[in-house]
Each structure stands twice: as structure tokens, then as C-alpha cells.
Amino acid sequence: MAATMASATRSTVLTLYRQMLKESRKFTGYNYREYALRRTKDAFKENKTLTDEVEIKAFIKKAEKNLEIIKRQVALSQLYTDPKLVIEEQK
């Protein structure tokens, strides 16, 4: 039973991680996009060693809230686009 719970939790965390990265890549602004990607990766690395079920569930809940925030902010960033930065220009 514990193994099933652990694998279900692992798949939930991996799904959340992938969704957050996917949504973060949709930001039109370079700085927002890079910040969201970096912050997502850092948060998941920091909490990689969690073993307590309560802490893991709290982290999942927080990540789900952050995913919703990212989705809303991406929608707003797509409404008000800025010109691309020099660092973003494609050749």
C-alpha cells in the first residue's frame, strides 16, 4: 500500500513539475519566463528530499496554487506583449 501511495505521489509531483515548466515557457516576456522556469526548478530541487507525507502534500498543494497563478499571469502576458529583447532575437 505504501509503495502504491509513493508512486502515485511521485507521478503527481512529476506531472505538476512538467505542467509548471510548460506553462512557464508560454510567458511572452523573457525575464518573466526565465524567472518562472528558474523558480520552478529551484523549488522542486529544494523539496526533492522530502519524506514526510504531510510535508509532501503541503508542497503539492502549494505547487498547484502556483500553477494556477502562472496560468493567469501567462494569459495576462499574452494580452500585453513587449518587443523582444536582444537576447531573444532569432537569427
Side-chain angles (χ1 to χ4, degrees):
M1 185 68 158
T4 305
M5 181 66 164
S7 66
T9 303
R10 178 177 168 80
S11 66
T12 302
V13 170
L14 288 174
T15 301
L16 264 172
Y17 180 68
R18 288 184 193 116
Q19 286 177 333
M20 290 179 79
L21 291 178
K22 183 179 177 183
E23 286 299 316
S24 295
R25 287 186 187 104
K26 293 180 183 178
F27 275 108
T28 57
Y30 175 81
N31 291 326
Y32 291 114
R33 182 174 52 248
E34 292 302 314
Y35 174 77
L37 289 169
R38 184 177 58 249
R39 186 63 195 109
T40 299
K41 290 175 186 176
D42 289 347
F44 278 83
K45 276 183 190 174
E46 285 174 16
N47 294 294
K48 177 171 135 175
T49 58
L50 290 180
T51 55
D52 183 32
E53 287 293 321
V54 175
E55 289 177 353
I56 293 171
K57 289 181 191 257
F59 176 72
I60 290 172
K61 184 171 262 194
K62 184 177 179 182
E64 288 171 343
K65 286 181 183 178
N66 286 334
L67 177 60
E68 293 304 315
I69 291 169
I70 290 171
K71 285 180 180 180
R72 284 194 306 267
Q73 290 302 118
V74 164
L76 284 174
S77 80
Q78 291 174 347
L79 290 174
Y80 305 103
T81 59
D82 290 329
K84 289 192 176 230
L85 299 175
V86 173
I87 198 166
E88 296 179 277
E89 291 298 323
Q90 304 228 348
K91 297 177 182 174

